[in-house]
Amino acid sequence: MKFLEKLIERSSRKVAQNTSRRHVLTQISKVMIGVAAVPLLPVARASEGPTHGYPGVGNQTSGLDGDPGDPTSCDYWRYCAIDGFLCSCCGGSATSCPPGTEMSPITWIGTCLNPADGKNYIISYNDCCGKTSCGRCLCNRNENDKPMYRPQANNDINWCLGTSSSVYTCSTGVLLGVAVDE
């Protein structure tokens, strides 16, 4: 213990001899100003964001009657078989691609239950292609996903092969119509 006490005493005396009180006060004030400025940074404000959905992306609606939910949330009813980044968080919407991208004509199909009316709807999942992935609102729901040997209902394939660029950007969920019960 005596060794530790002597070591601490020697090092504190050395610091006191080599630094001035003004220097210490300057350093403390710099730290205090830096800590006070943290809430002003855009990163701090973006992390507060909405209570649900993706941080920094506001709530949206599809604008259609009987279409409940937020298209920027992975829990949106149309996204029951989606796999990828949501175009509604990338500058597009649930049914349209962001500017500068094009919608792939090749799609996979899913059937989702609309909680508002209790009906099943056929949803066409189209990939938007042409820019790099936006990296926002990743959603991977595999409720009706089929194996690779049923490609029309598989969401793990890059569907950008029918466009001028095979670079994947995001995915949409286009409503095609009411599913017929057999």
Side-chain angles (χ1 to χ4, degrees), residues 18-131:
N18 293 330
T19 57
S20 68
R21 283 178 279 198
R22 285 184 182 167
H23 178 73
V24 171
L25 290 174
T26 303
Q27 296 303 318
I28 291 172
S29 64
K30 284 181 183 178
V31 169
M32 289 175 58
I33 290 172
V35 169
V38 168
L40 301 175
L41 296 173
V43 176
R45 288 194 306 265
S47 68
E48 292 169 8
T51 56
H52 69 288
Y54 192 84
V57 177
N59 296 342
Q60 297 178 12
T61 63
S62 67
L64 303 173
D65 291 335
D67 193 11
D70 179 9
T72 62
S73 171
C74 195
D75 295 330
Y76 184 50
W77 73 274
R78 286 189 192 188
Y79 298 150
C80 71
I82 202 164
D83 182 8
F85 299 108
L86 304 179
C87 286
S88 53
C89 295
C90 301
S93 70
T95 58
S96 66
C97 292
T101 63
E102 64 178 312
M103 189 176 286
S104 175
I106 305 170
T107 70
W108 75 97
I109 303 295
T111 305
C112 300
L113 176 69
N114 184 342
D117 61 7
K119 294 181 182 177
N120 286 310
Y121 289 86
I122 301 169
I123 309 294
S124 172
Y125 296 102
N126 299 67
D127 283 347
C128 295
C129 316
K131 292 183 176 178

Side-chain angles (χ1 to χ4, degrees), residues 5-23:
E5 287 177 3
K6 282 188 176 191
L7 179 67
I8 292 172
E9 181 184 356
R10 255 188 277 147
S11 60
S12 60
R13 286 184 185 274
K14 193 170 198 172
V15 167
Q17 288 173 354
N18 293 330
T19 57
S20 68
R21 283 178 279 198
R22 285 184 182 167
H23 178 73

